């Protein structure tokens, strides 16, 4: 083994590395098993304490749904700001976080300081958390839970009557579909809603990926969930759901997670133990709850098709009834809720973006490149970027014109204009999209036909099980047998086996303490350690290869069974290839027509605010991109004049939506109506100038189309060429603002005018930043600007590129398309 020369010289070159590796392995092994022992102790302590939420924040329960007429094992908790956080402002929009009830306990939304809850508290928002308890209430159903959440949100609204906006509600994963249902039947209780990693279109996915969607079909439908509920004496064990998640990634479950702890045993234990405390805290659901979830959602996919009703049939869940903006956050790295399952419901509900607008719905989605499912809620990076930007841009999102947008979040370019209107290190913009853009994320929807067959087969198997097998299983089940099965579940048994409950491990904590005192970790350049790392990589690759082969085989088996025309015919499902049923009904079209008729008189009627907003929308519409900077400019000034000219966010939102509808319905008539809404020549001058400067808050020039619209507006308003040149003169602009404020204040306007003035005046004051770069100044600045937005695309693209992307334009009324 050793060279003759080395042995003759009394040197064995490999002896020291071998000894170092052997000593480290012995010590590392003891510390690894001691960490598992601590995990077991934490698990036992967590169970004995009632499995409280794993929040890192203190909280107070202010409403317990177990005391409601239709009880549920849910509660509403008010989060207490930790030390160092600003005091919460009751007038700020409250945040409500709904965690998923998918096998684990609550708390993942506030698992770290840098989390959804942490971001809200750092911005001074009151924050509430919807939590739940380990045991469901007797007779509890999903409808009971929905009613409880409705009571919670009603309570939050009562606690913040002066808030400028309804609560911002976040639904994580399974909490997302619960939130979507609640917002559908009680739209007046919620403000903007965020569906984070939430599956709503359960059959969607890409061939060769997303194997989880095939599980229902390969199990023969939903009867297996009923069997688990019967064996659990009427309770479904959440550990089964956790086990399904773990099967998706055998490399992580069987090796990576454990090896990561072993290889970083000196630094990793605390993080590992904190996560395992949540991951191992399994909760129960009633059998009827799990049956509803599997039959109505996972296999039935009834939510987006409006087939879910209350038990008495008096209420139907229709997502087209949601009135608040809907935000969707998904990730390409999520193999549990892929983007298609998070977004395809849009195509199921709406034929086109015009249909979305007619329904006065605003939908914003954001796609992360690689974060995994849990990272959507747990990752500090995601919390500090995506969640914080969503939180900061809430008011803008709330007043976005109806339509479909993609949120793009980027670092701020060093030479980006309007930086005084940007908070933080990122900037968010909203790019107009169409339903076809959502469908383009999928590889086609023909493969979903097979799931229609799965649904029918599931109904048949469920009927057979309920009639013939369920009575027998229930006859042999009792609470003792159910408890035994739960304790023997691998997810629990592995924790109790290596814990203080095992008397044979009494020596482990003491030995680990001595090892820590004499710890000698091996160096990273040790050849045996490097060999170990390569072997670990090989094991991971092998398990990944096994996973890929397994998933491919399951998909082929699924397709072979459920894409069979014979089986489809046998169970009475229409053959594949027939046109998909469109969600849009004649009622929806008729409603849109009636809304247009109701708006007709408003073309020539309104306040000064209506006139200014219509001018802004008319000029900026069609730019396709909405940016936060113009909106922040207007809002900043609005706050400054709030006491003198009160204008709430909701009033601004209503004005924007109304004027957007008018401009889209008949652009020319809406343009001609400006002369009636803005009767005073001084106000016309100032309104036209403000619109121009707001378009330049986030760019260095105005696109040709918007420049042409500005000219059209000037002609309608009777602004001569000389007037426009005078307006563009810097000196005139600087002196005009105070004069305009006096004009607006003195101008007798109709009753609603007080609400209108703030806008005109506010926007005027915001003119100050823009004028700084008017006329000549702007010309010299034109070139460097391009880097601003495209910065993320390609180092400082040409101005032309910036122009197409930057149309960010009109503040907030937002030109959504």
């Amino acid at each position: 083994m050793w060279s003759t020369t080395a042995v003759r010289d009394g040197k064995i070159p490999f002896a020291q590395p071998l000894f170092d590796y052997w000593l480290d392995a012995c010590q590392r092994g003891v510390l690894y098993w001691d960490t598992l022992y601590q995990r077991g102790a934490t698990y036992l302590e967590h169970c004995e304490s009632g499995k409280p939420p794993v929040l890192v924040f203190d909280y107070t329960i202010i409403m317990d749904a177990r005391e409601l007429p239709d009880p549920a094992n849910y509660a509403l908790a008010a989060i207490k700001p930790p030390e160092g956080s600003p005091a919460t402002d009751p007038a700020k929009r409250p945040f409500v976080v709904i965690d998923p009830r998918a096998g684990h306990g609550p708390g993942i939304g506030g698992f770290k300081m840098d989390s959804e809850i942490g971001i809200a508290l750092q911005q001074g928002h009151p924050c509430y958390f919807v939590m739940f308890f380990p045991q469901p209430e007797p007779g509890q159903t999903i409808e009971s839970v929905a009613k409880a959440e409705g009571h919670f949100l009603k309570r939050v609204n009562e606690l913040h009557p002066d808030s400028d906006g309804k609560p911002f509600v976040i639904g994580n994963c399974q909490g997302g579909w619960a939130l979507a249902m609640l917002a559908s039947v009680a739209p007046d209780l919620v403000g903007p809603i965020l569906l984070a990693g939430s599956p709503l279109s359960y059959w969607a996915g890409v061939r060769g990926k997303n194997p989880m969607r095939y599980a229902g079909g390969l199990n023969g439908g939903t009867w297996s969930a009923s069997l688990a509920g019967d064996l659990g004496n009427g309770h479904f064990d959440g550990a089964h759901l956790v086990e399904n998640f773990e099967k998706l990634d055998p490399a992580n479950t069987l090796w990576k997670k454990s090896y990561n702890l072993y290889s970083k045993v000196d630094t990793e234990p605390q993080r590992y133990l904190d996560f395992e405390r949540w991951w191992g805290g399994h909760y129960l659901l009633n059998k009827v709850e799990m049956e509803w979830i599997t039959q109505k959602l996972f296999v039935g996919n009834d939510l987006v098709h409006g087939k879910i009703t209350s038990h008495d049939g008096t209420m139907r869940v229709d997502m087209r009834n949601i009135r608040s903006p809907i935000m969707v956050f998904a990730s390409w790295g999520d193999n549990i809720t892929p983007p298609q399952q998070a977004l395809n419901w849009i195509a199921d509900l709406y034929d086109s973006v015009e249909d979305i607008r007619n329904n006065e719905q605003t939908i914003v989605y954001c796609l992360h490149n690689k974060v995994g499912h849990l990272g959507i809620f747990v990752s500090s990076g995601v919390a500090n970027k995506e969640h914080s930007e969503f939180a900061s841009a809430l008011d803008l999102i709330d007043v976005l014109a109806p339509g479909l947008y993609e949120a793009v979040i980027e670092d701020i370019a060093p030479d980006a204009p309007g930086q005084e209107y940007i908070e933080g290190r990122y900037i968010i913009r909203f790019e107009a999209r169409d339903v076809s853009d959502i469908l383009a994320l999928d590889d086609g929807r023909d493969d979903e036909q097979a799931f229609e067959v799965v649904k029918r087969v599931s109904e048949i198997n469920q009927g057979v099980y309920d009639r013939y097998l369920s009575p027998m299983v229930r006859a042999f089940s009792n609470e003792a047998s159910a408890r035994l099965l739960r304790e023997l579940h691998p997810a629990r048994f592995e924790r109790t086996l290596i814990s203080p409950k095992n008397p044979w491990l009494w020596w482990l904590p003491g030995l680990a303490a001595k090892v820590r005192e004499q710890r000698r970790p091996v160096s990273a350049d040790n050849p045996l350690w490097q060999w170990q790392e390569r072997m670990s990589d090989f094991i991971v690759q092998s398990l990944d290869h096994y996973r890929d082969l397994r998933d491919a085989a399951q998909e082929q088996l699924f397709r072979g069974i459920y894409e069979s025309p014979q089986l489809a015919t046998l169970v009475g499902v229409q053959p594949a290839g027939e046109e998909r049923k469109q969600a849009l009904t004649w009622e929806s079209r008729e409603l849109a027509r009636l809304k247009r008729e109701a708006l007709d008189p408003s073309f020539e009627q309104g306040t000064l605010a209506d006139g200014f907003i219509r001018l802004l929308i008319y000029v900026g519409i069609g730019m396709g991109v909405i940016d936060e900077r113009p909106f922040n400019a207007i809002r900043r000034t609005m706050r400054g004049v709030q006491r003198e000219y009160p204008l709430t966010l909701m009033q601004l939102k209503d004005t924007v939506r109304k004027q957007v509808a008018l401009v889209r319905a008949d652009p020319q008539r809406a343009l001609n109506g400006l002369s009636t809404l803005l009767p005073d020549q001084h106000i016309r001058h100032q309104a036209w100038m403000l619109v121009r400067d707001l378009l330049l808050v986030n760019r260095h020039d105005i696109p040709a189309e918007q420049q042409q619209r500005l000219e059209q507006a000037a002609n309608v308003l009777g602004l001569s060429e000389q007037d426009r040149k005078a307006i563009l003169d810097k000196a005139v602009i600087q002196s005009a603002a105070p004069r305009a404020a006096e004009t607006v204040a003195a101008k007798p306007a109709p009753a609603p005018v007080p609400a209108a003035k703030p806008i005109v005046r506010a926007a005027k004051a915001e003119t100050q930043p823009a004028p700084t770069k008017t006329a000549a100044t702007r010309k010299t600045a034109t070139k460097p600007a391009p880097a601003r937005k495209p910065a993320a695309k390609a180092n400082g693209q040409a101005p032309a590129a910036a122009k197409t992307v930057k149309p960010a334009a009109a503040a907030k009324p937002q030109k959504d398309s």
Side-chain angles (χ1 to χ4, degrees), residues 40-296:
T42 300
Y43 169 74
L44 295 176
E45 181 273 330
H46 190 51
C47 292
E48 290 170 1
S49 62
K51 298 181 181 177
V54 294
L55 294 170
V56 296
F57 305 94
D58 292 331
Y59 61 88
T60 301
I61 294 179
I62 60 176
M63 193 171 187
D64 193 332
R66 293 176 295 186
E67 301 171 358
L68 295 174
D70 188 359
N73 66 330
Y74 274 68
L76 176 66
I79 304 297
K80 299 178 181 178
E83 282 187 36
S85 294
T88 57
D89 183 354
K92 280 194 171 184
R93 186 194 299 269
F95 278 49
V96 181
V97 176
I98 302 177
D99 256 10
R101 187 164 166 240
H104 305 98
I108 196 67
F111 183 63
K112 301 176 180 178
M113 285 296 176
D114 288 333
S115 61
E116 295 164 340
I117 292 177
I119 293 299
L121 293 175
Q122 284 297 324
Q123 297 184 7
H125 292 273
C127 198
Y128 299 87
F129 183 70
V130 176
M131 56 181 285
F132 42 91
F133 302 100
Q135 293 280 350
E137 291 294 293
Q140 175 178 316
T141 64
I142 295 298
E143 190 172 336
S144 307
V145 174
K147 289 179 180 178
E149 292 173 340
H151 285 294
F152 295 161
L153 286 174
K154 183 178 180 181
R155 178 63 174 153
V156 171
N157 278 284
E158 291 172 350
L159 291 172
H160 300 275
D162 299 325
S163 170
D164 194 10
K166 296 289 182 66
F168 174 44
V169 191
I170 302 173
N172 290 326
C173 189
Q174 303 295 340
W177 56 256
L179 173 57
M181 290 173 53
L182 177 61
S184 299
V185 299
D188 57 318
L189 293 179
V190 301
I193 65 175
L194 171 60
L195 310 178
S198 302
L200 294 179
S201 188
Y202 296 87
W203 296 349
V206 176
R207 292 185 186 273
K209 298 181 179 180
N210 317 132
M212 201 171 191
R213 61 180 180 149
Y214 302 121
L218 295 177
N219 288 334
T222 61
W223 71 272
S224 58
S226 298
L227 173 62
D230 287 336
L231 291 174
N233 196 37
H235 288 153
F236 182 90
D237 188 359
H240 297 312
L241 296 176
V242 177
E243 185 179 36
N244 288 337
F245 296 150
E246 292 189 327
K247 287 179 179 177
L248 285 175
D249 190 356
N252 183 69
T253 301
L254 301 177
W255 183 260
K256 280 197 296 188
K257 184 164 68 172
S258 296
Y259 180 74
N260 185 58
L261 172 61
Y262 176 82
S263 63
K264 302 175 183 177
V265 76
D266 298 302
T267 58
E268 183 71 4
Q270 191 56 54
R271 191 209 66 83
Y272 175 85
L273 292 172
D274 289 342
F275 178 79
E276 285 294 304
R277 182 168 177 261
W278 173 74
W279 190 251
H282 307 115
Y283 279 42
L284 303 181
L285 295 87
N286 279 338
K287 174 192 172 185
V288 293
E289 291 184 283
M290 195 62 208
E291 285 182 328
W292 190 97
I293 293 172
T294 55
Q295 294 172 20
K296 298 291 186 181

Side-chain angles (χ1 to χ4, degrees), residues 543-558:
L543 289 171
D544 285 344
H545 185 57
Y546 153 74
R547 176 202 61 201
D548 295 340
L549 291 176
R550 178 201 65 186
D551 292 348
Q554 289 179 347
E555 180 174 346
Q556 290 303 316
L557 178 62
F558 176 91

Side-chain angles (χ1 to χ4, degrees), residues 457-629:
V457 169
S458 176
E459 292 170 348
I460 295 172
N461 289 343
Q462 185 70 49
V464 172
Y465 175 82
D466 289 343
R467 180 174 292 273
Y468 299 109
L469 298 179
S470 180
M472 291 189 293
V473 176
R474 284 186 279 118
F476 288 100
S477 296
N478 53 57
E479 190 55 35
S481 64
R483 184 179 181 85
L484 178 62
L485 287 175
R486 288 196 288 268
E487 292 300 326
L488 292 179
H489 191 285
R492 291 187 181 87
F493 188 66
E494 67 176 358
R495 287 170 170 79
T496 54
L497 183 63
I498 310 173
S499 75
K501 271 195 172 183
N502 187 339
W504 297 98
L505 296 178
W506 61 268
W507 51 269
L508 187 54
L511 179 60
K514 294 185 184 311
V515 166
R516 290 189 183 92
E517 293 175 0
Q518 304 176 36
R519 182 77 174 105
R520 285 179 54 185
V522 69
S523 63
D525 59 356
N526 184 291
L528 287 173
W529 178 265
Q530 293 177 345
W531 172 83
Q532 173 187 298
E533 292 281 279
R534 288 193 294 271
M535 284 300 300
S536 176
D537 292 340
F538 173 75
I539 292 173
V540 170
Q541 292 171 11
S542 299
L543 289 171
D544 285 344
H545 185 57
Y546 153 74
R547 176 202 61 201
D548 295 340
L549 291 176
R550 178 201 65 186
D551 292 348
Q554 289 179 347
E555 180 174 346
Q556 290 303 316
L557 178 62
F558 176 91
R559 294 178 60 186
I561 297 173
Y562 292 104
E563 290 185 358
S564 166
Q566 292 79 12
L567 180 59
T569 302
L570 185 64
V571 298
V573 174
Q574 63 183 15
E578 291 193 12
E579 185 178 356
R580 292 176 59 87
K581 181 181 178 181
Q582 294 298 324
L584 188 61
T585 62
W586 72 268
E587 293 101 322
S588 300
R589 295 189 178 92
E590 181 65 12
L591 181 61
R593 185 185 68 79
L594 293 175
K595 287 180 179 178
R596 286 194 295 271
E597 288 184 358
L599 280 174
D600 190 80
S602 299
F603 278 101
E604 289 78 27
Q605 297 176 8
T607 66
L608 294 179
D610 292 318
F612 171 72
I613 294 299
R614 185 187 298 182
L615 175 60
L616 186 57
I617 291 170
Y618 178 82
V619 172
I621 204 164
M623 297 187 76
V625 178
I626 295 89
D627 191 295
E628 65 177 289
R629 284 167 286 186

